[in-house]
Amino acid sequence: MSEYPVPILDNAIPINAYVPIDLSVSNPEIKERNIADPADCQAYIDTVLMAEKGRVAYGGYLEKRNLYVNKHNFSDKTSPRNIHLGMDFWCEAGTKVITPMDGVVHSYKNNTTLGDYGPTIVLEHRLESYTFHTLYGHLSVESLDELYIGKKFKAGSTLARLGAPSINVNYASHLHFQIIRDMESNFGDYPGVCSNETFDFYLKNCPDPDILLKIPG
């Protein structure tokens, strides 16, 4: 793995244009917003980007969020899933998604349930004898064209493009990026949000994406 920051979006966007964003339940700036609404969420993202003169807002690993409260498959009253297991990169639809390291296509799928990923690609990576996976969610439909299991992607190549809210199942445009040790027989999908009850397992199976990306901030 690189010792330096690894771009995950269009190489024309410099790393210093990535600015951190807090979408957690503890952020007082979003308490009066309906952050689960993609337009209201985008409005807040835009204020952060404008204030910091950034082009990509990123963050979210292990954040507890209200982003999923209007999505029935997350909202079990006894055990809600609201702890985010990946890192999000909020940027305009159509932005290129860059492969951070060499990999091959493990699986892909358009996950169309409300609150899911929409078009999704999972890559498999090998470092010596160690195998792990990376998941890329909320892509454009066209990103799945011409894919096949085993297709190779070199580090720095264009993997996909970001989808619009109408495609990525009711979220503001962004990339969900997640590292997964064991896919557990999942195909083209994997939980990106967990509950308090399952937190310990997913913490071990889904390490911090910044281990790979090393984005300063």
Side-chain angles (χ1 to χ4, degrees):
M1 295 186 184
S2 173
E3 297 179 7
Y4 304 100
V6 177
I8 194 72
L9 296 181
D10 192 331
N11 285 317
I13 303 175
I15 287 291
N16 62 10
Y18 288 55
V19 298
I21 191 169
D22 179 2
L23 295 178
S24 72
V25 296
S26 60
N27 181 358
E29 294 183 1
I30 60 176
K31 286 190 180 299
E32 302 304 318
R33 292 180 178 267
N34 179 13
I35 204 68
D37 177 77
D40 206 358
C41 184
Q42 185 64 62
Y44 177 66
I45 293 164
D46 289 343
T47 64
V48 172
L49 291 175
M50 184 175 298
E52 300 296 330
K53 299 180 180 179
R55 295 177 60 185
V56 178
Y58 77 95
Y61 181 63
L62 302 186
E63 276 187 351
K64 183 172 285 190
R65 294 171 163 181
N66 286 327
L67 195 59
Y68 318 107
V69 294
N70 64 343
K71 300 166 179 68
H72 65 86
N73 53 328
F74 291 83
S75 57
D76 184 326
K77 291 182 180 180
T78 60
S79 182
R81 293 195 299 129
N82 57 10
I83 302 171
H84 191 249
L85 298 169
M87 184 179 283
D88 286 335
F89 296 85
W90 305 87
C91 194
E92 62 187 30
T95 302
K96 292 179 182 178
V97 177
I98 304 302
T99 310
M101 64 184 300
D102 294 354
V104 301
V105 175
H106 168 277
S107 54
Y108 54 96
K109 182 181 177 184
N110 190 356
N111 299 288
T112 58
T113 302
L114 181 67
D116 211 320
Y117 295 124
T120 308
I121 300 173
V122 179
L123 297 183
E124 181 176 291
H125 310 276
R126 293 188 179 181
L127 287 175
E128 298 178 352
S129 61
Y130 181 63
T131 299
F132 67 99
H133 306 82
T134 53
L135 182 147
Y136 309 78
H138 307 297
L139 309 175
S140 68
V141 173
E142 293 78 12
S143 297
L144 304 187
D145 293 345
E146 301 181 7
L147 285 185
Y148 55 87
I149 295 173
K151 183 173 182 178
K152 296 179 180 179
F153 284 90
K154 299 294 288 184
S157 62
T158 299
L159 174 69
R161 291 181 181 268
L162 298 186
S166 59
I167 300 299
N168 72 29
V169 207
N170 208 40
Y171 294 105
S173 297
H174 72 290
L175 171 69
H176 173 95
F177 176 71
Q178 186 170 335
I179 297 177
I180 304 161
R181 297 181 190 273
D182 179 3
M183 284 292 293
E184 303 181 86
S185 301
N186 286 276
F187 183 93
D189 197 5
Y190 192 83
V193 183
C194 75
S195 65
N196 285 328
E197 288 74 12
T198 58
F199 177 76
D200 288 345
F201 169 78
Y202 285 110
L203 179 64
K204 293 176 182 177
N205 203 42
C206 301
D208 188 346
D210 208 45
I211 293 172
L212 175 60
L213 301 181
K214 298 181 173 63
I215 296 175

